[in-house]
Amino acid sequence: MDNIKVERLLINYKTLEMFKRFREYGHQELSMMEELQNNIVENNSESPFYGIYYGNNLAARMSLYEVKKEYDHYFDPPQDYLTLWKLEVLPDYRGNGYGRALVDFAKSFQLPIKTNPLVNSHGFWKKMGFQKAQYDMQRDLGENPLIWMPEGVREKEISK
């Protein structure tokens, strides 16, 4: 599957309906639905979600947020980074490189990436070059974050 295309997902009823097929469907999607119901939201609204379609079916998706260094509580020295979460490939589409394509897309921004892996997904993240973050136990929010650093960006330690 060389022609995998990652695209920003539109915030619309069709996309939110497709999200119901994902295991990690939750509060963020519900809040988007409420916003859509309470306001007129155009089809081109900015969305933090990116996905891969197989035909007309959303086969894989992730959420990607940029965190500015002034809000960074993880890196020393503070820096801009991406938070990647809700990465999921539907069971019928696994093994086709969709998860890797989503992670590679996030890496293309050349910013450090923090993710909180789902249960039993550590092997995948290790293959993607992510490492367990070193963090201050007093700041542990139960996240157990994993970190990826682009070439040339050095992480001293996560947290202070």
Side-chain angles (χ1 to χ4, degrees):
M1 295 232 145
D2 293 331
N3 295 337
I4 298 173
K5 180 182 172 193
V6 176
E7 56 189 271
R8 177 172 258 157
L9 300 178
L10 298 174
I11 298 175
N12 59 32
Y13 288 107
K14 182 179 176 185
T15 301
L16 292 174
E17 192 61 34
M18 287 183 194
F19 280 0
K20 291 179 181 177
R21 298 175 54 209
F22 289 84
R23 186 174 58 136
E24 287 296 307
Y25 175 75
H27 178 70
Q28 185 175 17
E29 293 89 346
L30 293 174
S31 67
M32 282 184 190
M33 184 67 84
E34 285 177 19
E35 183 179 334
L36 280 169
Q37 290 171 345
N38 294 329
N39 303 298
I40 296 174
V41 178
E42 294 184 27
N43 210 24
N44 64 355
S45 295
E46 290 290 311
S47 162
F49 286 99
Y50 294 84
I52 297 171
Y53 285 92
Y54 184 83
N56 291 326
N57 294 317
L58 183 61
R61 63 99 188 252
M62 71 174 169
S63 180
L64 200 58
Y65 289 95
E66 183 174 353
V67 178
K68 295 295 184 186
K69 68 180 174 183
E70 55 264 22
Y71 303 107
D72 176 9
H73 299 288
Y74 289 94
F75 297 96
D76 182 18
Q79 56 192 299
D80 294 350
Y81 69 94
L82 297 175
T83 296
L84 188 161
W85 63 300
K86 288 190 176 272
L87 186 140
E88 188 172 352
V89 178
L90 291 175
D92 290 347
Y93 301 99
R94 292 181 185 157
N96 292 311
Y98 295 156
R100 175 178 292 280
L102 288 170
V103 172
D104 287 346
F105 177 83
K107 287 178 177 181
S108 73
F109 290 92
Q110 289 299 300
L111 289 171
I113 301 171
K114 177 187 90 69
T115 190
N116 301 326
L118 299 174
V119 176
N120 298 324
S121 68
H122 281 81
F124 168 79
W125 292 107
K126 186 175 180 178
K127 280 194 254 182
M128 297 297 104
F130 283 71
Q131 298 177 359
K132 188 171 174 86
Q134 305 300 314
Y135 57 92
D136 183 344
M137 291 303 284
Q138 292 178 353
R139 301 185 75 134
D140 183 8
L141 303 173
E143 292 182 336
N144 298 315
L146 297 178
I147 300 293
W148 175 81
M149 299 297 290
E151 295 260 337
V153 176
R154 180 158 168 79
E155 175 198 17
K156 288 184 184 175
E157 281 211 39
I158 192 163
S159 195
K160 295 169 178 103

